[in-house]
Amino acid sequence: MPTKRQQILAAFQSRVENIRTANGYATDAGATVFAGERVLLGEGDPEIALAIVPGDDTPGHQGEHVVIRLPVEIQIIAKGDLDDDWLTVEAVLGDVKKAVEQADRTLGKLVLRQIERGATRTLPREEGSTNVGAGITYIAPYTELWGEP
Amino acid sequence: MDFGALRTLVRDLNFSAHGVPATVTPPGEAAVETRGIWLTPVTEQFGMDLRRSEPKRIMALKRDEVPSVPRGTLIVAPEQAGGADQTWRVEATDRLEADKRHVIVVPEP
């Protein structure tokens, strides 16, 4: 039985994997989604990719259950249009928000109340590079039973 | 003793031997036919946990033949000697020397 934390991360992954133009999104960012690894793309690799990156969680109240706040950052890397690279970033950010922030914000009752929006950061294109990047963080508050994650 | 002429000769020999033909067109100015030398690309990583490794392309140009190379200058040159011409866009000056300039370029889409 996967842990609740694993199920939460899998839920984020499943939602962003739906990001395809065929599904009504602006980009096909969902075609390449990484989880659980630090990835270094290169020439010949997909032009756009996402990564699910869990951050350091914060344990809260501890009794029969441990209340945990798990930050999950959805990181984006994409080839940007040289003249309007910021538009590429905004398009993918919009798609990620649309995919993650569905009507069910409990991730199928995995989290307490609902997921929360964290910070968004952008990496602008630098001279000599064709890439743009961004990251949007969500917080998943949930509980674990002692010894039964 | 003035070594200026010798330095210029050495520079020109370098560009002849190691350079590729390049047509440089600064914004709003006439095109200049010259030669450029591709320096060894510096591979840099961009991103956070998800990163991309990409070569940063740098070309050396003679300052006396192309005195001004502002951002947005277009350069038509092959990526390798004998290869097909490609268009590049200048993004920044990486280095300025007495007789040449190194510019950072990206492929023009």
Side-chain angles (χ1 to χ4, degrees):
Chain A
M1 174 74 174
T3 63
K4 196 178 278 188
R5 177 186 160 107
Q6 181 181 336
Q7 292 178 70
I8 288 170
L9 294 173
F12 277 106
Q13 182 175 4
S14 169
R15 290 189 176 196
V16 299
E17 281 176 346
N18 273 332
I19 299 175
R20 312 291 182 103
T21 52
N23 294 335
Y25 292 91
T27 71
D28 286 312
T32 306
V33 180
F34 299 100
E37 54 180 318
R38 286 196 87 208
V39 177
L40 181 60
L41 303 172
E43 198 170 321
D45 289 323
E47 290 196 349
I48 187 169
L50 302 176
I52 311 294
V53 182
D56 293 345
D57 65 19
T58 307
H61 174 75
Q62 301 190 36
E64 284 298 309
H65 296 82
V66 180
V67 179
I68 297 168
R69 292 176 61 80
L70 173 67
V72 180
E73 186 175 31
I74 316 291
Q75 292 185 3
I76 300 160
I77 194 164
K79 296 270 189 183
D81 179 289
L82 294 190
D83 293 314
D84 291 309
D85 42 58
W86 68 284
L87 292 179
T88 304
V89 171
E90 296 305 322
V92 185
L93 274 175
D95 279 351
V96 170
K97 288 178 185 177
K98 189 175 159 184
V100 171
E101 297 168 18
Q102 298 177 13
D104 172 23
R105 290 184 226 166
T106 69
L107 300 184
K109 295 187 173 28
L110 287 171
V111 304
L112 290 172
R113 294 184 298 282
Q114 63 180 39
I115 55 173
E116 299 166 15
R117 177 91 70 80
T120 299
R121 53 177 173 158
T122 55
L123 297 181
R125 192 177 70 81
E126 297 174 4
E127 72 279 352
S129 172
T130 57
N131 294 289
V132 291
I136 178 165
T137 298
Y138 289 94
I139 312 291
Y142 71 103
T143 61
E144 284 183 359
L145 266 175
W146 280 100
E148 290 182 33
Chain B
M1 192 173 179
D2 182 11
F3 288 101
L6 184 59
R7 263 201 294 273
T8 301
L9 175 64
V10 169
R11 183 202 68 173
D12 289 347
L13 283 172
N14 257 328
F15 272 82
S16 292
H18 302 294
V20 295
T23 304
V24 181
T25 311
E29 295 181 33
V32 175
E33 303 285 337
T34 182
R35 291 184 73 80
I37 296 178
W38 286 110
L39 303 184
T40 302
V42 176
T43 300
E44 296 194 345
Q45 294 183 9
F46 174 91
M48 298 170 272
D49 292 84
L50 177 59
R51 295 157 296 145
R52 191 186 304 274
S53 171
E54 187 178 36
K56 182 184 275 194
R57 295 179 174 89
I58 303 174
M59 176 178 269
L61 296 168
K62 296 184 215 176
R63 287 183 68 180
D64 55 347
E65 292 189 3
V66 195
S68 170
V69 190
R71 179 183 167 90
T73 296
L74 296 180
I75 301 175
V76 177
E79 191 168 11
Q80 296 169 354
D85 275 345
Q86 233 179 295
T87 304
W88 310 87
R89 185 194 297 185
V90 172
E91 296 237 292
T93 293
D94 182 59
R95 187 166 153 157
L96 204 57
E97 297 181 2
D99 56 355
K100 57 185 183 299
R101 171 200 312 269
H102 297 177
V103 293
I104 299 168
V105 301
V106 289
E108 174 76 350

